[in-house]
Tab-separated table of all heavy atoms in Angstrom:
chain	number	residue	atom	x	y	z
C	253	PHE	N	-26.941	-53.591	65.770
C	253	PHE	CA	-25.986	-54.367	64.977
C	253	PHE	C	-25.175	-55.341	65.843
C	253	PHE	O	-24.295	-54.935	66.590
C	253	PHE	CB	-25.049	-53.379	64.255
C	253	PHE	CG	-24.069	-54.036	63.324
C	253	PHE	CD1	-24.484	-54.477	62.069
C	253	PHE	CD2	-22.753	-54.204	63.692
C	253	PHE	CE1	-23.576	-55.061	61.201
C	253	PHE	CE2	-21.844	-54.805	62.827
C	253	PHE	CZ	-22.268	-55.230	61.573
C	254	HIS	N	-25.495	-56.621	65.757
C	254	HIS	CA	-24.726	-57.693	66.431
C	254	HIS	C	-24.592	-57.517	67.937
C	254	HIS	O	-23.789	-58.203	68.559
C	254	HIS	CB	-23.302	-57.776	65.856
C	254	HIS	CG	-23.274	-58.490	64.540
C	254	HIS	ND1	-24.198	-59.437	64.192
C	254	HIS	CD2	-22.419	-58.379	63.493
C	254	HIS	CE1	-23.919	-59.880	62.972
C	254	HIS	NE2	-22.859	-59.251	62.519
C	255	LEU	N	-25.324	-56.550	68.521
C	255	LEU	CA	-25.054	-56.283	69.931
C	255	LEU	C	-25.588	-57.393	70.832
C	255	LEU	O	-25.215	-57.484	71.989
C	255	LEU	CB	-25.583	-54.909	70.354
C	255	LEU	CG	-24.792	-53.728	69.748
C	255	LEU	CD1	-25.159	-52.434	70.447
C	255	LEU	CD2	-23.280	-53.926	69.837
C	256	LYS	N	-26.425	-58.267	70.259
C	256	LYS	CA	-26.861	-59.445	71.044
C	256	LYS	C	-25.645	-60.260	71.483
C	256	LYS	O	-25.656	-60.916	72.510
C	256	LYS	CB	-27.838	-60.291	70.226
C	256	LYS	CG	-27.320	-60.712	68.853
C	256	LYS	CD	-28.402	-61.490	68.099
C	256	LYS	CE	-27.974	-61.926	66.718
C	256	LYS	NZ	-27.528	-60.810	65.845
C	257	ASP	N	-24.548	-60.184	70.685
C	257	ASP	CA	-23.330	-60.934	71.011
C	257	ASP	C	-22.742	-60.529	72.368
C	257	ASP	O	-21.997	-61.277	72.967
C	257	ASP	CB	-22.244	-60.701	69.945
C	257	ASP	CG	-22.701	-61.204	68.582
C	257	ASP	OD1	-23.768	-61.845	68.537
C	257	ASP	OD2	-22.004	-60.950	67.593
C	258	PHE	N	-23.084	-59.304	72.834
C	258	PHE	CA	-22.376	-58.838	74.028
C	258	PHE	C	-22.729	-59.646	75.275
C	258	PHE	O	-22.004	-59.652	76.243
C	258	PHE	CB	-22.554	-57.326	74.220
C	258	PHE	CG	-23.746	-56.907	75.028
C	258	PHE	CD1	-23.658	-56.809	76.425
C	258	PHE	CD2	-24.943	-56.574	74.409
C	258	PHE	CE1	-24.752	-56.379	77.166
C	258	PHE	CE2	-26.029	-56.156	75.166
C	258	PHE	CZ	-25.938	-56.058	76.539
C	259	ASN	N	-23.863	-60.390	75.200
C	259	ASN	CA	-24.211	-61.272	76.318
C	259	ASN	C	-23.083	-62.249	76.624
C	259	ASN	O	-22.852	-62.605	77.757
C	259	ASN	CB	-25.486	-62.058	76.004
C	259	ASN	CG	-26.676	-61.113	75.921
C	259	ASN	OD1	-26.719	-60.126	76.642
C	259	ASN	ND2	-27.613	-61.407	75.032
C	260	VAL	N	-22.403	-62.703	75.567
C	260	VAL	CA	-21.317	-63.657	75.803
C	260	VAL	C	-19.968	-62.931	75.847
C	260	VAL	O	-18.944	-63.497	75.512
C	260	VAL	CB	-21.312	-64.773	74.724
C	260	VAL	CG1	-22.518	-65.676	74.924
C	260	VAL	CG2	-21.313	-64.183	73.317
C	261	GLY	N	-20.017	-61.645	76.220
C	261	GLY	CA	-18.769	-60.923	76.454
C	261	GLY	C	-18.171	-60.281	75.224
C	261	GLY	O	-17.078	-59.743	75.281
C	262	GLY	N	-18.894	-60.305	74.079
C	262	GLY	CA	-18.330	-59.729	72.851
C	262	GLY	C	-18.785	-58.307	72.586
C	262	GLY	O	-18.758	-57.859	71.439
C	263	TYR	N	-19.199	-57.567	73.623
C	263	TYR	CA	-19.759	-56.223	73.434
C	263	TYR	C	-18.781	-55.281	72.733
C	263	TYR	O	-19.129	-54.632	71.754
C	263	TYR	CB	-20.191	-55.649	74.787
C	263	TYR	CG	-20.415	-54.169	74.758
C	263	TYR	CD1	-21.523	-53.627	74.104
C	263	TYR	CD2	-19.514	-53.290	75.370
C	263	TYR	CE1	-21.725	-52.257	74.060
C	263	TYR	CE2	-19.707	-51.926	75.338
C	263	TYR	CZ	-20.813	-51.407	74.677
C	263	TYR	OH	-20.996	-50.050	74.635
C	264	ILE	N	-17.556	-55.206	73.231
C	264	ILE	CA	-16.573	-54.290	72.636
C	264	ILE	C	-16.360	-54.638	71.171
C	264	ILE	O	-16.394	-53.777	70.292
C	264	ILE	CB	-15.218	-54.359	73.399
C	264	ILE	CG1	-15.401	-53.867	74.844
C	264	ILE	CG2	-14.141	-53.553	72.665
C	264	ILE	CD1	-15.601	-52.366	74.988
C	265	GLN	N	-16.169	-55.945	70.901
C	265	GLN	CA	-15.946	-56.387	69.526
C	265	GLN	C	-17.156	-56.037	68.649
C	265	GLN	O	-17.006	-55.603	67.508
C	265	GLN	CB	-15.674	-57.901	69.483
C	265	GLN	CG	-15.052	-58.367	68.171
C	265	GLN	CD	-13.810	-57.560	67.769
C	265	GLN	OE1	-12.903	-57.352	68.562
C	265	GLN	NE2	-13.797	-57.085	66.522
C	266	ALA	N	-18.346	-56.213	69.214
C	266	ALA	CA	-19.566	-55.905	68.453
C	266	ALA	C	-19.599	-54.433	68.050
C	266	ALA	O	-19.939	-54.092	66.913
C	266	ALA	CB	-20.802	-56.264	69.262
C	267	VAL	N	-19.233	-53.548	68.969
C	267	VAL	CA	-19.218	-52.124	68.638
C	267	VAL	C	-18.140	-51.838	67.585
C	267	VAL	O	-18.355	-51.086	66.647
C	267	VAL	CB	-19.009	-51.254	69.904
C	267	VAL	CG1	-18.849	-49.787	69.520
C	267	VAL	CG2	-20.177	-51.417	70.867
C	268	LEU	N	-16.982	-52.477	67.726
C	268	LEU	CA	-15.910	-52.277	66.751
C	268	LEU	C	-16.333	-52.780	65.364
C	268	LEU	O	-15.957	-52.214	64.345
C	268	LEU	CB	-14.620	-52.982	67.191
C	268	LEU	CG	-13.999	-52.504	68.513
C	268	LEU	CD1	-12.674	-53.221	68.770
C	268	LEU	CD2	-13.785	-50.997	68.534
C	269	ASP	N	-17.130	-53.852	65.342
C	269	ASP	CA	-17.565	-54.444	64.075
C	269	ASP	C	-18.517	-53.545	63.289
C	269	ASP	O	-18.736	-53.774	62.101
C	269	ASP	CB	-18.241	-55.805	64.309
C	269	ASP	CG	-17.225	-56.908	64.559
C	269	ASP	OD1	-16.025	-56.645	64.359
C	269	ASP	OD2	-17.636	-58.015	64.944
C	270	LYS	N	-19.081	-52.543	63.967
C	270	LYS	CA	-19.930	-51.595	63.245
C	270	LYS	C	-19.163	-50.993	62.060
C	270	LYS	O	-19.743	-50.660	61.030
C	270	LYS	CB	-20.410	-50.479	64.173
C	270	LYS	CG	-21.528	-50.899	65.122
C	270	LYS	CD	-21.687	-49.935	66.297
C	270	LYS	CE	-22.313	-48.617	65.911
C	270	LYS	NZ	-23.790	-48.692	65.828
C	271	ASN	N	-17.856	-50.851	62.244
C	271	ASN	CA	-17.008	-50.341	61.166
C	271	ASN	C	-17.171	-51.117	59.872
C	271	ASN	O	-17.159	-50.545	58.791
C	271	ASN	CB	-15.535	-50.416	61.575
C	271	ASN	CG	-15.059	-49.086	62.119
C	271	ASN	OD1	-15.480	-48.033	61.658
C	271	ASN	ND2	-14.207	-49.139	63.124
C	272	LEU	N	-17.275	-52.442	59.992
C	272	LEU	CA	-17.374	-53.297	58.821
C	272	LEU	C	-18.578	-52.901	57.973
C	272	LEU	O	-18.486	-52.777	56.750
C	272	LEU	CB	-17.477	-54.776	59.234
C	272	LEU	CG	-16.167	-55.547	59.401
C	272	LEU	CD1	-15.135	-54.797	60.223
C	272	LEU	CD2	-16.440	-56.914	60.017
C	273	ALA	N	-19.716	-52.685	58.644
C	273	ALA	CA	-20.929	-52.296	57.922
C	273	ALA	C	-20.722	-50.945	57.247
C	273	ALA	O	-21.151	-50.728	56.113
C	273	ALA	CB	-22.093	-52.223	58.891
C	274	GLU	N	-20.046	-50.056	57.955
C	274	GLU	CA	-19.911	-48.686	57.448
C	274	GLU	C	-18.833	-48.556	56.371
C	274	GLU	O	-18.689	-47.494	55.756
C	274	GLU	CB	-19.691	-47.731	58.633
C	274	GLU	CG	-20.960	-47.671	59.486
C	274	GLU	CD	-20.782	-47.048	60.871
C	274	GLU	OE1	-19.679	-46.542	61.166
C	274	GLU	OE2	-21.762	-47.088	61.646
C	275	ASN	N	-18.107	-49.653	56.118
C	275	ASN	CA	-17.101	-49.642	55.050
C	275	ASN	C	-17.709	-49.419	53.665
C	275	ASN	O	-16.998	-49.054	52.727
C	275	ASN	CB	-16.325	-50.962	55.014
C	275	ASN	CG	-15.186	-50.956	56.016
C	275	ASN	OD1	-14.740	-49.896	56.436
C	275	ASN	ND2	-14.727	-52.138	56.409
C	276	ILE	N	-19.011	-49.665	53.522
C	276	ILE	CA	-19.633	-49.553	52.199
C	276	ILE	C	-19.382	-48.182	51.575
C	276	ILE	O	-19.087	-48.078	50.390
C	276	ILE	CB	-21.144	-49.861	52.280
C	276	ILE	CG1	-21.335	-51.361	52.553
C	276	ILE	CG2	-21.855	-49.460	50.982
C	276	ILE	CD1	-22.779	-51.776	52.697
C	277	SER	N	-19.472	-47.121	52.376
C	277	SER	CA	-19.264	-45.780	51.801
C	277	SER	C	-17.878	-45.221	52.148
C	277	SER	O	-17.674	-44.012	52.107
C	277	SER	CB	-20.355	-44.822	52.282
C	277	SER	OG	-20.422	-44.813	53.695
C	278	ARG	N	-16.939	-46.115	52.460
C	278	ARG	CA	-15.624	-45.632	52.897
C	278	ARG	C	-14.807	-45.030	51.750
C	278	ARG	O	-14.208	-43.968	51.896
C	278	ARG	CB	-14.825	-46.776	53.543
C	278	ARG	CG	-13.629	-46.292	54.341
C	278	ARG	CD	-14.004	-45.748	55.706
C	278	ARG	NE	-14.509	-46.788	56.593
C	278	ARG	CZ	-15.317	-46.549	57.642
C	278	ARG	NH1	-15.698	-45.318	57.917
C	278	ARG	NH2	-15.741	-47.546	58.394
C	279	VAL	N	-14.741	-45.729	50.605
C	279	VAL	CA	-13.745	-45.307	49.601
C	279	VAL	C	-14.226	-45.549	48.163
C	279	VAL	O	-14.860	-46.561	47.867
C	279	VAL	CB	-12.384	-46.020	49.866
C	279	VAL	CG1	-12.504	-47.530	49.803
C	279	VAL	CG2	-11.288	-45.532	48.923
C	280	LEU	N	-13.894	-44.599	47.307
C	280	LEU	CA	-14.166	-44.703	45.878
C	280	LEU	C	-13.200	-45.696	45.240
C	280	LEU	O	-11.985	-45.623	45.464
C	280	LEU	CB	-13.952	-43.327	45.226
C	280	LEU	CG	-13.918	-43.289	43.688
C	280	LEU	CD1	-15.319	-43.458	43.108
C	280	LEU	CD2	-13.293	-41.988	43.193
C	281	TYR	N	-13.733	-46.635	44.442
C	281	TYR	CA	-12.848	-47.514	43.665
C	281	TYR	C	-12.139	-46.684	42.598
C	281	TYR	O	-12.787	-46.004	41.809
C	281	TYR	CB	-13.657	-48.651	43.018
C	281	TYR	CG	-13.784	-49.848	43.936
C	281	TYR	CD1	-14.788	-49.904	44.909
C	281	TYR	CD2	-12.869	-50.896	43.866
C	281	TYR	CE1	-14.891	-50.990	45.779
C	281	TYR	CE2	-12.963	-51.988	44.731
C	281	TYR	CZ	-13.967	-52.028	45.678
C	281	TYR	OH	-14.051	-53.099	46.541
C	282	PRO	N	-10.782	-46.727	42.563
C	282	PRO	CA	-10.038	-45.771	41.733
C	282	PRO	C	-9.780	-46.239	40.304
C	282	PRO	O	-8.781	-45.867	39.703
C	282	PRO	CB	-8.717	-45.633	42.507
C	282	PRO	CG	-8.520	-46.993	43.105
C	282	PRO	CD	-9.897	-47.523	43.429
C	283	ASN	N	-10.690	-47.061	39.753
C	283	ASN	CA	-10.479	-47.557	38.392
C	283	ASN	C	-11.271	-46.742	37.381
C	283	ASN	O	-12.457	-46.491	37.566
C	283	ASN	CB	-10.921	-49.020	38.273
C	283	ASN	CG	-10.190	-49.888	39.271
C	283	ASN	OD1	-8.977	-49.779	39.429
C	283	ASN	ND2	-10.940	-50.744	39.966
C	284	ASP	N	-10.613	-46.367	36.298
C	284	ASP	CA	-11.275	-45.681	35.199
C	284	ASP	C	-11.257	-46.648	34.015
C	284	ASP	O	-10.193	-47.143	33.654
C	284	ASP	CB	-10.508	-44.403	34.856
C	284	ASP	CG	-11.249	-43.531	33.855
C	284	ASP	OD1	-12.282	-42.958	34.228
C	284	ASP	OD2	-10.777	-43.431	32.713
C	285	ASN	N	-12.408	-46.921	33.440
C	285	ASN	CA	-12.477	-47.831	32.296
C	285	ASN	C	-11.897	-49.214	32.595
C	285	ASN	O	-11.183	-49.795	31.774
C	285	ASN	CB	-11.763	-47.226	31.072
C	285	ASN	CG	-12.670	-46.267	30.329
C	285	ASN	OD1	-13.695	-46.683	29.775
C	285	ASN	ND2	-12.332	-45.003	30.328
C	286	PHE	N	-12.179	-49.716	33.796
C	286	PHE	CA	-11.731	-51.063	34.142
C	286	PHE	C	-12.664	-51.627	35.204
C	286	PHE	O	-12.985	-50.957	36.179
C	286	PHE	CB	-10.276	-51.049	34.656
C	286	PHE	CG	-9.746	-52.408	34.954
C	286	PHE	CD1	-9.325	-53.243	33.918
C	286	PHE	CD2	-9.690	-52.895	36.261
C	286	PHE	CE1	-8.842	-54.523	34.184
C	286	PHE	CE2	-9.215	-54.174	36.530
C	286	PHE	CZ	-8.785	-54.993	35.487
C	287	PHE	N	-13.097	-52.876	35.011
C	287	PHE	CA	-14.020	-53.521	35.940
C	287	PHE	C	-13.278	-54.413	36.922
C	287	PHE	O	-12.485	-55.255	36.527
C	287	PHE	CB	-15.037	-54.353	35.150
C	287	PHE	CG	-15.900	-55.241	36.035
C	287	PHE	CD1	-16.687	-54.699	37.048
C	287	PHE	CD2	-15.915	-56.612	35.846
C	287	PHE	CE1	-17.468	-55.512	37.859
C	287	PHE	CE2	-16.694	-57.439	36.656
C	287	PHE	CZ	-17.473	-56.883	37.663
C	288	GLU	N	-13.518	-54.178	38.217
C	288	GLU	CA	-12.920	-55.007	39.269
C	288	GLU	C	-14.070	-55.655	40.045
C	288	GLU	O	-14.797	-54.975	40.762
C	288	GLU	CB	-12.071	-54.103	40.192
C	288	GLU	CG	-11.276	-54.867	41.221
C	288	GLU	CD	-10.298	-53.962	41.992
C	288	GLU	OE1	-10.214	-52.765	41.694
C	288	GLU	OE2	-9.633	-54.481	42.889
C	289	GLY	N	-14.253	-56.968	39.884
C	289	GLY	CA	-15.444	-57.636	40.419
C	289	GLY	C	-15.391	-57.975	41.896
C	289	GLY	O	-15.468	-59.141	42.289
C	290	LYS	N	-15.259	-56.967	42.741
C	290	LYS	CA	-15.148	-57.198	44.177
C	290	LYS	C	-16.510	-57.081	44.864
C	290	LYS	O	-17.322	-56.233	44.515
C	290	LYS	CB	-14.201	-56.158	44.797
C	290	LYS	CG	-12.756	-56.248	44.294
C	290	LYS	CD	-11.984	-57.324	45.055
C	290	LYS	CE	-10.492	-57.221	44.841
C	290	LYS	NZ	-10.062	-57.698	43.516
C	291	GLU	N	-16.715	-57.886	45.902
C	291	GLU	CA	-17.991	-57.866	46.614
C	291	GLU	C	-18.302	-56.474	47.171
C	291	GLU	O	-19.455	-56.021	47.100
C	291	GLU	CB	-18.000	-58.894	47.760
C	291	GLU	CG	-19.359	-58.930	48.452
C	291	GLU	CD	-19.449	-59.935	49.590
C	291	GLU	OE1	-18.516	-60.005	50.414
C	291	GLU	OE2	-20.471	-60.630	49.660
C	292	LEU	N	-17.297	-55.781	47.707
C	292	LEU	CA	-17.557	-54.464	48.289
C	292	LEU	C	-18.111	-53.496	47.231
C	292	LEU	O	-18.991	-52.679	47.513
C	292	LEU	CB	-16.284	-53.886	48.924
C	292	LEU	CG	-16.445	-52.515	49.606
C	292	LEU	CD1	-17.436	-52.580	50.770
C	292	LEU	CD2	-15.103	-51.977	50.092
Side-chain angles (χ1 to χ4, degrees):
F253 184 78
H254 282 333
L255 290 193
K256 54 183 179 304
D257 298 352
F258 89 87
N259 293 326
V260 290
Y263 164 72
I264 296 287
Q265 196 52 49
V267 174
L268 298 184
D269 282 350
K270 284 162 73 82
N271 263 325
L272 271 47
E274 293 165 6
N275 276 339
I276 290 178
S277 54
R278 195 78 67 204
V279 60
L280 168 74
Y281 272 84
N283 303 315
D284 188 70
N285 277 295
F286 183 78
F287 171 58
E288 187 172 358
K290 296 277 194 285
E291 183 179 45
L292 182 62

